[in-house]
Amino acid sequence: GGGLSCSEQAIEQGKKFSEDVSVVSITQSTNVSNIDALTKYKNPLWTCLKNLNWHLNSQEIGIVKLVDPATNTWEWESLIHQSISLVGWPIGGTVTPDNGTGTPSFVGGNPNILYAGMSLNFNVKFAPSGLDCPLVGHVGVTPYTLNYTSTSSLWSAKP
C-alpha cells in the first residue's frame, strides 16, 4: 500500500507548482510611435518567463534618435523598464510577479548605442491551491516566492 496521503499529495503538488518554468527571451513586439521629427518611442514587449499555460511579459519604454539621416543611423537615447504582466491561466494556483528591476545594457546619453537590451531581476509569488481531502477538508499550501533573472535579446535602434 503506502502511497502519499491526500495531505502529503497537496504539499507535493505545491512544491511542483513552480516547476516547468523556464527563463526565456522572446521579443513579442517593438511598438514604435513618433515623438518628433528626429526621435521616436520604441517600446519592446518581450516574454521573460514561460510555462505551458502562462507566461510573463516585460514592457520597456525606449527612446531612439535619428543621428544620421544620410545613412539612416538611429541610436538609443534611453531604455527604461516599465512593468511585468501575467498572460494566460496558471493551473493549480496563482502566479503573481512583482514589477522587478530592469537594467539596460547601456548608460543613457552615451553615443553610438545602435543595439540595446534589458536585464531583468524579478520575483514571482506562487500560491498553490492545495487539495480538498476527505475527512481533513481543504489542505492549503504555503505560498512561496522565487527570484529570476532574464536578459532580453538586443533590439536595434532603427524603428
Side-chain angles (χ1 to χ4, degrees), residues 61-153:
I61 304 296
I63 296 177
V64 293
K65 185 171 190 169
L66 180 62
V67 289
D68 187 346
T71 58
N72 193 27
T73 302
W74 291 75
E75 291 179 0
W76 285 95
E77 296 253 294
S78 64
L79 186 63
I80 298 164
H81 173 60
Q82 188 183 37
S83 61
I84 296 176
S85 55
L86 171 70
V87 181
W89 296 270
I91 293 170
T94 59
V95 171
T96 312
D98 66 6
N99 264 340
T101 306
T103 306
S105 61
F106 67 99
V107 175
N110 282 352
N112 304 317
I113 309 296
L114 305 181
Y115 291 87
M118 183 64 73
S119 181
L120 208 50
N121 185 294
F122 58 100
N123 295 311
V124 182
K125 181 180 173 187
F126 294 92
S129 51
L131 291 174
D132 290 313
C133 297
L135 306 175
V136 208
H138 186 76
V139 176
V141 182
T142 310
Y144 53 94
T145 299
L146 297 177
N147 177 263
Y148 297 94
T149 303
S150 184
T151 301
S152 76
S153 47

Side-chain angles (χ1 to χ4, degrees), residues 30-51:
T30 51
N31 190 37
V32 173
S33 58
N34 289 336
I35 298 174
D36 58 38
L38 295 177
T39 51
K40 295 178 187 281
Y41 283 112
K42 183 166 184 172
N43 302 337
L45 178 72
W46 60 290
T47 301
C48 55
L49 196 73
K50 193 175 188 312
N51 177 281

